[in-house]
Amino acid sequence: MNLVLIAIVCGVIAVLYGIVTSQQVLRAPAGNARMIEVATAIQEGAAAYLRRQYTTILIVGVIVAALVFLFLGGLSAIAFVTGAVLSGAAGFIGMNISVRANVRTAEAARSGLQKGLTVAFRSGAVTGMLVAGLALLAIAVLFYVLVVPLGYAPDARPVVTALTALALGASLVSIFARLGGGIFTKAADVGADLVGKVEAGIPEDDPRNPAVIADNVGDNVGDCAGMAADLFETYVVTVGITMVSVALALKGSPLLLPVMTLPLLIGGVCIITSIIGTYMVKLGAKESIMGALYKGFWTTTLLGAVAIFGAAWYAFDGNLGQTVSTAAGTSFPVMNLVWASMVGLAVTALIVWITEYYTGTNFRPVKSIAAASQTGHGTNVIQGLAISLESTALPTIVIVVGLIVSFQLAGFLGVAYAASAMLALAGMVVALDAYGPVTDNAGGIAEMAGLEEEVRHRTDALDAVGNTTKAVTKGYAIGSAGLAALVLFGAYTADLREFGAQIGVSANLDTLFSLSNPYVIVGLLLGALLPYLFGAMGMTAVGRAGGAVVEEVRGQFRDNPGIMDGSSRPDYARTVDLVTRAAIKEMIIPSLLPVLAPIVVYFVIGLVGGRDNGLAALGALLLGVIVSGLFVAISMTSGGGAWDNAKKYIEDGNFGGKGSEAHKAAVTGDTVGDPYKDTAGPAVNPMIKITNIVALLLLAALAGGGSIVTG
Amino acid sequence: MNLVLIAIVCGVIAVLYGIVTSQQVLRAPAGNARMIEVATAIQEGAAAYLRRQYTTILIVGVIVAALVFLFLGGLSAIAFVTGAVLSGAAGFIGMNISVRANVRTAEAARSGLQKGLTVAFRSGAVTGMLVAGLALLAIAVLFYVLVVPLGYAPDARPVVTALTALALGASLVSIFARLGGGIFTKAADVGADLVGKVEAGIPEDDPRNPAVIADNVGDNVGDCAGMAADLFETYVVTVGITMVSVALALKGSPLLLPVMTLPLLIGGVCIITSIIGTYMVKLGAKESIMGALYKGFWTTTLLGAVAIFGAAWYAFDGNLGQTVSTAAGTSFPVMNLVWASMVGLAVTALIVWITEYYTGTNFRPVKSIAAASQTGHGTNVIQGLAISLESTALPTIVIVVGLIVSFQLAGFLGVAYAASAMLALAGMVVALDAYGPVTDNAGGIAEMAGLEEEVRHRTDALDAVGNTTKAVTKGYAIGSAGLAALVLFGAYTADLREFGAQIGVSANLDTLFSLSNPYVIVGLLLGALLPYLFGAMGMTAVGRAGGAVVEEVRGQFRDNPGIMDGSSRPDYARTVDLVTRAAIKEMIIPSLLPVLAPIVVYFVIGLVGGRDNGLAALGALLLGVIVSGLFVAISMTSGGGAWDNAKKYIEDGNFGGKGSEAHKAAVTGDTVGDPYKDTAGPAVNPMIKITNIVALLLLAALAGGGSIVTG
């Protein structure tokens, strides 16, 4: 269990890094009184959001915990609560640092670009390291406690179920943060624009608009708390289920323990390389901000490759040539697991690169959307949609090649290892993402506080890069969610093979799961439908919640006429609370989709076509969700990012610049892209994972997991 | 072979109906000199389009025919040519009638709504009956010739391969008509608008615009020739492969021949009910045009149900209780095949109803898009996208339920029978679709010839209904293409089971095709990618080809200044020819996608993961294309239709009416929806089918089909 203990130490280091760095960030000067006033309003808004959001999560969490206890037993319930609490903590702390770093970034930008960059990036790194550190701690400590003090075998059923329940806890927070948060951020954005710019005729980011603070809070909700919860979930799912898969595949093998716990150590060492990476984020001679951030990312990745090799060397006492033999009869040298991990790193790097190509202003896709804006709103949207469809191709091919290579290296364990290595970089990736809203807010504060032109120039430069990093990390998030879901799906089939007899599966599993079984086709079709339906619900939800914002703001203007002449302050927190409530109300039905769909499909198809076919349709549904969800999510997030930057590209003076007809068309495209990239697209990630986790837990419940665990 | 001969007689009746009815249409008065002038220009344009398009098809067809001859033998080559020629003939004649009926509809509308409706619908019915009749003749005659004079057993391999090659011939025309035609129609539309309305400042449908005739020709290209070729292909594929599936499933059964040939008879009797249906298209007291068309559709469907029962009664000598036993060991009463056919009719009716709900102006979806237009271009597009995503849900559920019920009734043969019955209604459905462009053109002619306000009112009313029928029939086309593809996929797996050993498949097929085989996941992902990539290419192609139109029109204005002052006529035909060439050039790469993807995936995956896994990945690719393509196509066609009618709804005086800000936003939505519903969406249908057909032929070639057939 040495590897687990070292991983725990690394997790603790990540948390310590978070504490130390957040102190550093908070010690930075917070600017003048006007700046502090605006920042305080954002902080109050964030607090209002978090209060409402976490209260709701608490209520739902207690109910789900009770259900988990009922069906799966006490251990699983504890694991579930752990996952939820730690994921919640990462998002909570991250967001609190974020809304305090924004004003400090604005202030730091007054003395130079590097200073602004440092404050903004460090605050993002706090969130990043907390996500990776707490996720790693959650799995490692849970596993350690189960195996050492409680004495379960590493491959015992209760361990499997508890790790899955841990993932479910993370999923709970993730769906709230991604879907609820996604609706919040865009409803606030759309609502603020409609009622401010259109109705009241006041400019964007005007402090008289009661929804303007909600808009600023929303930036953090999506790209700080949302991404944190999403990747926390993916991390826990991937590493946890990788361990489960190893346990199922290497039953009784002498190498079981090291192969099972190496992913934890890989997570641990990559936290260390991520921390080193954060110190490499420095502007070079060319003052390229993106270059500085990439220096951090590449340092993390390259050192990570070396560190993974070292970790494996340590885990197997330098004997990387020894053979791992699975229960299914395949075998491969240990070194192949290292190579599979390298595949994971390569997939990450390629997806980052591809997403930047599709969303960066220097390349064909964004330029083509900008050019199409010259002929009107319609052509801008058409080109944007074409790019969004096209943007799925290369990531799919990368994932497919990664899948094939890692499978060739070490079977499904290779795929799981590749996914785990991909997730080991999560700390750095979340740092890049959480950097975005800080700079975005910093720009807003500079605007509202009337800072010097030069400062706003710097915050704008920081913000423009933030757009790209947000898009890039979304590509990573969906890519890793896809791989994680495949690992989950692998666990579903392995579980069914393992416990099939116990729950009364009579047919041969291959026959059941064969593409020529019509219930498999039915499952694939129904699974593929889920992301479409979910996306549709998410997008209409934004419209409705945005409407609620308009009502609220109109009410404040009516009840408090002092707002418009500047003599009285709008009630920002009330607006934030209202948007939060509206968003939570809107997310109820779509969030039930991934929870109920597997259960309903299993029981309905089971009733019509027999229990075995119910399980076959359920398995196919999982794969259908993954396959279709991957395309829906990538096309939405990349397309949205491309639309956003096409507008930026025109604002930089191309095709007529700001105020031109082309610019108006580009604004339309950006508006369309907003719910695509910030609501529907990212929310597909937790949806995919939850569908798979619910299916796994359904199996566990059917197999009487509860009694096994508690008994 | 009695059933086959009766089916042939029915096919001949359909062709005779086409001849008689087209004489009737052509005998109707063609209006005044100005009308005839405009109509002649459209006819010349259509001729230019057909010349260029068919010349290209001829060249490509000769090459493909040579390849088919080389790999699959002479019989298949003849079948291929037959499929291509007959599909081409249906489109060619249909379009020629269409562009002659338009002016006659306008003239007939001068004496009343019913008269206009009759001319327009009859001309659509000519295309419809030719499609159903020629398709039925193609399969029935080919089958008859192979079995009777040539003496092949009905289930012999050459019969199977020849029927597949027949489908490939239809596919060739279909991809040109759908993809090339789709690019043509929207490039002409976009190009005409950009250069006319935007640059030259002349109104829409102004005869001085050299691209205006291309735009009018384009309407017929998409919804007459395109739909004709698409459904001809689906018809041939479905009925042909249903027969193949029966042959494989009932090897040696005494019921082989009647079960195999009953689908032909069903096609035959439904042609008769379709012809009766066309005479029911009469306005009632409420003067509802949609109601009149629906009278025809429902008459056809209900009489069809009765006729199918009668056909089965005849085929099995009244003994519908006797048991059909398949080679795989399942058995069911003959009556279940009748019930499965009823499922096909029910699926058709439900899809028609659902599509009307999503695209009709009386229902929530279209109204919600219209309402969202009030807050701007962006919100219109967002709501439209949400509706387009949502619109996939009910059709998917209908297809899934249809799949389960028909499978429960009679296994995969039930599914095939359901699909065949669905296609048996193709004649009526194409009639409804081909009615659309005739009325659309009639409106344009009335506009350009300056006919009375009252006449244009009537043609507008006819045209508005055309928008709905076009959308509805697209829903039917994609739904039936999806089922057809599933039948094809079933044939692929059955073929592999049958001929697997011959081509050296060593593994168990179920193990190979199991969802837990990673190469299956790879295939699903790559298959799902194809419609996305194809859609992206289609949409950007429209933009580029539209740009070519702009250049051409600018050139004509420059070289011939007389055009603008009305003293000289623009060269319409040259513009049409140019757009045709541009469209054909643009379709090269996307049309290679469905042809090359199966071949490349088989060989590349075969190289990496072994031949067996190559076949597994290929099978999964087929299913991936179907699953993903269904969603992409439904969302695009329904979404596009909804956008179109949301604009119409506003133009009817809602939310500010024509010229309001809401209307401008709705125009943007309509523009976005155009390439969605007329280019990318419908072209997905042939893409799905071609991918599957190529895979089947690849199997045949691997199994040395050539030598078997010729030997």
Side-chain angles (χ1 to χ4, degrees):
Chain A
M1 300 298 282
N2 268 356
L3 309 193
V4 183
L5 292 174
I6 301 176
I8 292 176
V9 170
C10 293
V12 171
I13 292 176
V15 175
L16 289 177
Y17 173 90
I19 296 170
V20 171
T21 308
S22 56
Q23 295 307 321
Q24 279 177 359
V25 170
L26 293 178
R27 265 201 306 275
N32 63 34
R34 182 80 194 96
M35 289 163 72
I36 292 177
E37 191 192 331
V38 177
T40 308
I42 298 178
Q43 286 153 27
E44 284 170 14
Y49 167 82
L50 289 169
R51 200 158 43 233
R52 171 71 59 187
Q53 177 86 319
Y54 279 79
T55 311
T56 317
I57 295 180
L58 182 68
I59 298 168
V60 178
V62 167
I63 299 170
V64 179
L67 290 172
V68 170
F69 179 78
L70 208 67
F71 286 102
L72 301 167
L75 261 181
S76 293
I78 293 172
F80 167 80
V81 172
T82 309
V85 167
L86 289 185
S87 171
F92 187 89
I93 300 170
M95 217 170 124
N96 271 305
I97 294 298
S98 227
V99 294
R100 280 164 182 80
N102 49 15
V103 63
R104 290 170 171 84
T105 300
E107 176 63 21
R110 297 174 85 167
S111 39
L113 190 62
Q114 174 70 56
K115 293 220 166 135
L117 172 63
T118 303
V119 175
F121 180 73
R122 288 278 160 84
S123 98
V126 171
T127 313
M129 294 314 145
L130 283 180
V131 166
L134 291 177
L136 184 62
L137 280 175
I139 317 166
V141 171
L142 179 69
F143 181 74
Y144 187 82
V145 169
L146 288 169
V147 174
V148 179
L150 296 182
Y152 286 108
D155 54 355
R157 182 78 184 176
V159 178
V160 173
T161 308
L163 283 172
T164 317
L166 179 73
L168 185 71
S171 295
L172 174 75
V173 178
S174 176
I175 191 84
F176 269 91
R178 268 301 193 206
L179 182 58
I183 297 171
F184 176 96
T185 172
K186 287 306 126 182
D189 192 356
V190 169
D193 276 6
L194 282 181
V195 80
K197 279 199 280 194
V198 182
E199 280 190 25
I202 51 178
E204 207 179 324
D205 278 343
D206 189 304
R208 286 173 297 175
N209 187 337
V212 77
I213 295 298
D215 189 9
N216 276 290
V217 171
D219 295 336
N220 295 290
V221 162
D223 285 300
C224 177
M227 185 60 92
D230 187 357
L231 284 180
F232 186 99
E233 183 197 13
T234 309
Y235 198 114
V236 169
V237 163
T238 309
V239 178
I241 305 300
T242 297
M243 294 172 70
V244 168
S245 306
V246 173
L248 292 171
L250 297 190
K251 240 180 200 322
S253 158
L255 290 179
L256 171 65
L257 204 61
V259 175
M260 192 172 178
T261 52
L262 178 57
L264 291 174
L265 186 60
I266 290 179
V269 294
C270 284
I271 283 180
I272 309 298
T273 70
S274 297
I275 290 177
I276 299 172
T278 62
Y279 292 103
M280 293 297 139
V281 176
K282 292 228 166 64
L283 291 175
K286 279 196 273 177
E287 293 244 309
S288 155
I289 306 169
M290 199 69 218
L293 294 172
Y294 272 157
K295 258 186 259 173
F297 176 74
W298 291 118
T299 305
T300 303
T301 311
L302 294 176
L303 288 182
V306 177
I308 288 173
F309 182 79
W313 186 273
Y314 173 77
F316 296 95
D317 290 329
N319 185 0
L320 295 180
Q322 61 186 308
T323 303
V324 181
S325 301
T326 69
T330 58
S331 60
F332 49 85
V334 168
M335 187 62 199
N336 280 13
L337 292 174
V338 177
W339 286 122
S341 307
M342 299 300 151
V343 169
L345 299 184
V347 167
T348 307
L350 286 169
I351 285 187
V352 164
W353 183 75
I354 293 165
T355 317
E356 205 202 327
Y357 172 74
Y358 274 102
T359 57
T361 45
N362 311 338
F363 305 102
R364 174 190 60 85
V366 167
K367 284 183 186 169
S368 75
I369 298 175
S373 311
Q374 293 169 285
T375 42
H377 301 260
T379 42
N380 165 291
V381 176
I382 291 173
Q383 185 60 24
L385 287 172
I387 293 296
S388 85
L389 293 171
E390 185 196 312
S391 69
T392 58
L394 290 178
T396 306
I397 291 170
V398 166
I399 289 173
V400 160
V401 171
L403 200 60
I404 294 178
V405 173
S406 56
F407 182 82
Q408 294 273 357
L409 284 165
F412 253 119
L413 295 189
V415 178
Y417 258 72
S420 287
M422 190 169 180
L423 262 300
L425 302 177
M428 189 63 190
V429 173
V430 174
L432 290 176
D433 194 67
Y435 153 92
V438 175
T439 60
D440 198 347
N441 271 211
I445 291 171
E447 179 93 24
M448 289 192 260
L451 294 190
E452 306 83 341
E453 187 64 33
E454 196 192 9
V455 178
R456 284 173 47 194
H457 215 78
R458 287 186 192 132
T459 58
D460 276 359
L462 292 171
D463 186 27
V465 171
N467 269 337
T468 307
T469 61
K470 281 185 250 175
V472 161
T473 50
K474 273 171 200 151
Y476 166 85
I478 172 63
S480 61
L483 276 183
L486 285 179
V487 175
L488 276 169
F489 175 76
Y492 175 84
T493 53
D495 239 22
L496 210 53
R497 238 176 257 283
E498 183 82 4
F499 300 100
Q502 195 174 330
I503 57 175
V505 176
S506 53
N508 173 290
L509 209 65
D510 281 338
T511 312
L512 219 49
F513 269 18
S514 167
L515 293 180
S516 47
N517 178 355
Y519 292 103
V520 165
I521 298 177
V522 164
L524 283 173
L525 282 170
L526 292 176
L529 171 59
L530 291 181
Y532 278 80
L533 204 50
F534 188 82
M537 288 175 177
M539 286 177 70
T540 38
V542 169
R544 271 195 305 265
V549 175
V550 172
E551 294 297 320
E552 159 70 15
V553 170
R554 278 185 193 150
Q556 286 206 25
F557 280 148
R558 195 175 50 234
D559 301 344
N560 185 353
I563 295 177
M564 276 307 272
D565 58 32
S567 65
S568 117
R569 225 185 74 157
D571 191 342
Y572 300 125
R574 206 178 82 186
T575 316
V576 171
D577 187 54
L578 172 118
V579 192
T580 316
R581 270 186 294 138
I584 290 173
K585 200 183 114 200
E586 290 293 340
M587 67 169 275
I588 295 174
I589 294 175
S591 64
L592 286 176
L593 217 52
V595 177
L596 295 183
I599 301 175
V600 170
V601 164
Y602 167 72
F603 283 105
V604 171
I605 301 288
L607 210 69
V608 178
R611 185 172 209 178
D612 291 4
N613 281 323
L615 290 167
L618 177 55
L621 172 107
L622 302 183
L623 209 49
V625 171
I626 299 171
V627 169
S628 151
L630 198 66
F631 290 94
V632 170
I634 294 179
S635 66
M636 285 183 169
T637 53
S638 289
W643 263 312
D644 193 346
N645 271 339
K647 188 187 73 171
K648 275 246 148 50
Y649 186 72
I650 291 180
E651 286 172 354
D652 288 348
N654 299 293
F655 302 124
K658 233 172 177 164
S660 65
E661 285 302 313
H663 184 242
K664 283 182 201 156
V667 169
T668 294
D670 183 35
T671 310
V672 173
D674 266 351
Y676 245 48
K677 74 175 196 302
D678 289 324
T679 310
V684 168
N685 302 357
M687 200 214 56
I688 298 175
K689 288 172 282 180
I690 291 175
T691 315
N692 278 274
I693 291 171
V694 169
L696 266 183
L697 291 174
L698 179 66
L699 271 193
L702 290 175
S707 56
I708 297 179
V709 174
T710 51
Chain B
M1 301 299 283
N2 268 356
L3 309 193
V4 182
L5 291 175
I6 301 175
I8 291 175
V9 170
C10 293
V12 172
I13 292 176
V15 175
L16 289 177
Y17 172 90
I19 295 170
V20 172
T21 308
S22 55
Q23 296 307 321
Q24 281 177 0
V25 169
L26 293 178
R27 264 200 308 275
N32 63 33
R34 182 79 193 95
M35 288 163 73
I36 292 175
E37 190 191 331
V38 176
T40 309
I42 298 178
Q43 286 153 25
E44 284 169 13
Y49 168 81
L50 289 169
R51 197 158 46 233
R52 172 69 61 185
Q53 177 87 317
Y54 280 79
T55 312
T56 317
I57 295 179
L58 182 69
I59 297 167
V60 178
V62 167
I63 299 171
V64 179
L67 289 172
V68 170
F69 179 77
L70 208 67
F71 286 102
L72 301 166
L75 261 181
S76 293
I78 293 171
F80 168 82
V81 171
T82 309
V85 167
L86 290 184
S87 172
F92 187 90
I93 301 169
M95 215 167 128
N96 271 306
I97 294 297
S98 226
V99 295
R100 281 164 182 78
N102 50 14
V103 64
R104 290 169 171 83
T105 300
E107 177 62 22
R110 297 174 86 165
S111 41
L113 191 60
Q114 174 69 57
K115 293 220 165 138
L117 172 63
T118 303
V119 175
F121 181 74
R122 289 277 161 84
S123 98
V126 171
T127 312
M129 293 315 143
L130 283 180
V131 166
L134 291 177
L136 184 62
L137 281 176
I139 317 168
V141 171
L142 179 67
F143 182 74
Y144 189 82
V145 169
L146 286 170
V147 174
V148 179
L150 295 182
Y152 285 108
D155 55 355
R157 181 77 184 177
V159 179
V160 174
T161 308
L163 283 172
T164 317
L166 179 73
L168 185 71
S171 294
L172 174 74
V173 178
S174 175
I175 191 83
F176 268 91
R178 269 303 193 203
L179 182 58
I183 297 171
F184 176 95
T185 169
K186 287 306 127 181
D189 192 357
V190 169
D193 275 7
L194 281 181
V195 82
K197 279 200 280 194
V198 182
E199 280 190 23
I202 52 178
E204 209 177 323
D205 278 341
D206 189 303
R208 286 173 297 175
N209 187 338
V212 77
I213 296 298
D215 188 8
N216 277 291
V217 171
D219 295 335
N220 296 290
V221 162
D223 286 300
C224 179
M227 186 60 92
D230 188 356
L231 283 180
F232 185 99
E233 182 197 13
T234 309
Y235 198 114
V236 169
V237 164
T238 309
V239 178
I241 304 298
T242 296
M243 294 172 69
V244 168
S245 305
V246 173
L248 292 171
L250 298 190
K251 239 177 200 326
S253 158
L255 292 177
L256 171 66
L257 204 61
V259 176
M260 192 172 178
T261 52
L262 178 57
L264 291 174
L265 187 60
I266 290 178
V269 295
C270 285
I271 282 179
I272 309 297
T273 71
S274 296
I275 290 177
I276 298 172
T278 62
Y279 290 103
M280 294 296 142
V281 176
K282 292 232 164 62
L283 291 174
K286 279 195 273 177
E287 295 245 310
S288 156
I289 306 168
M290 199 68 218
L293 294 172
Y294 272 157
K295 258 186 260 173
F297 175 74
W298 292 118
T299 305
T300 303
T301 310
L302 294 175
L303 288 182
V306 177
I308 288 174
F309 182 80
W313 186 273
Y314 174 77
F316 295 95
D317 290 326
N319 185 1
L320 296 180
Q322 63 187 305
T323 303
V324 181
S325 301
T326 69
T330 58
S331 60
F332 49 84
V334 168
M335 186 62 199
N336 281 12
L337 291 175
V338 178
W339 287 121
S341 306
M342 299 302 152
V343 170
L345 298 184
V347 167
T348 306
L350 285 170
I351 284 186
V352 164
W353 183 74
I354 293 165
T355 317
E356 204 202 329
Y357 172 74
Y358 274 101
T359 58
T361 46
N362 311 336
F363 305 102
R364 173 190 60 85
V366 168
K367 284 183 186 170
S368 75
I369 298 175
S373 311
Q374 293 169 285
T375 41
H377 301 260
T379 43
N380 166 291
V381 175
I382 291 173
Q383 186 60 25
L385 287 172
I387 293 297
S388 84
L389 293 171
E390 186 196 310
S391 68
T392 57
L394 291 178
T396 306
I397 290 171
V398 166
I399 289 173
V400 160
V401 171
L403 199 60
I404 293 178
V405 173
S406 57
F407 182 81
Q408 294 274 356
L409 285 166
F412 253 118
L413 295 189
V415 178
Y417 258 71
S420 287
M422 191 168 179
L423 263 300
L425 302 177
M428 189 63 191
V429 173
V430 173
L432 291 177
D433 194 67
Y435 153 91
V438 175
T439 61
D440 198 348
N441 271 210
I445 291 171
E447 179 92 26
M448 288 191 261
L451 293 192
E452 307 83 341
E453 187 64 31
E454 197 192 8
V455 177
R456 284 173 46 196
H457 216 75
R458 287 186 192 133
T459 57
D460 275 0
L462 292 171
D463 185 27
V465 171
N467 269 337
T468 307
T469 60
K470 280 185 248 173
V472 161
T473 48
K474 274 172 198 152
Y476 166 86
I478 171 63
S480 62
L483 277 183
L486 284 179
V487 176
L488 277 169
F489 175 76
Y492 175 83
T493 54
D495 238 21
L496 210 52
R497 242 177 255 281
E498 184 82 5
F499 300 100
Q502 195 173 329
I503 57 174
V505 175
S506 52
N508 172 290
L509 208 66
D510 282 338
T511 312
L512 218 48
F513 269 19
S514 167
L515 293 181
S516 47
N517 178 356
Y519 292 102
V520 165
I521 298 177
V522 164
L524 284 173
L525 283 170
L526 292 177
L529 171 59
L530 291 181
Y532 278 81
L533 204 51
F534 187 80
M537 287 174 178
M539 287 178 70
T540 38
V542 169
R544 271 195 305 264
V549 176
V550 172
E551 295 297 321
E552 160 69 15
V553 171
R554 278 185 193 150
Q556 288 206 24
F557 280 149
R558 196 176 48 233
D559 300 345
N560 186 354
I563 294 177
M564 275 307 272
D565 59 31
S567 65
S568 116
R569 225 184 75 155
D571 190 342
Y572 300 124
R574 206 178 82 185
T575 315
V576 170
D577 187 54
L578 172 118
V579 194
T580 315
R581 270 185 294 138
I584 289 171
K585 201 182 113 200
E586 289 293 341
M587 68 168 275
I588 295 174
I589 295 176
S591 64
L592 286 176
L593 218 50
V595 177
L596 294 182
I599 301 174
V600 170
V601 165
Y602 167 73
F603 283 105
V604 171
I605 301 288
L607 210 68
V608 178
R611 185 172 209 180
D612 291 5
N613 282 321
L615 290 166
L618 176 54
L621 173 108
L622 302 183
L623 208 49
V625 171
I626 300 171
V627 169
S628 153
L630 198 66
F631 289 94
V632 170
I634 293 179
S635 67
M636 284 182 170
T637 52
S638 290
W643 263 312
D644 194 345
N645 271 339
K647 188 188 73 172
K648 275 247 149 50
Y649 186 71
I650 291 180
E651 285 172 354
D652 288 347
N654 299 291
F655 302 123
K658 232 171 178 166
S660 64
E661 284 301 314
H663 184 241
K664 282 182 201 156
V667 169
T668 295
D670 183 35
T671 311
V672 173
D674 267 351
Y676 244 48
K677 74 174 196 302
D678 290 323
T679 310
V684 167
N685 302 357
M687 199 213 56
I688 297 176
K689 290 171 281 181
I690 291 174
T691 315
N692 278 274
I693 291 170
V694 169
L696 267 183
L697 292 174
L698 180 65
L699 272 192
L702 289 175
S707 56
I708 297 179
V709 174
T710 50

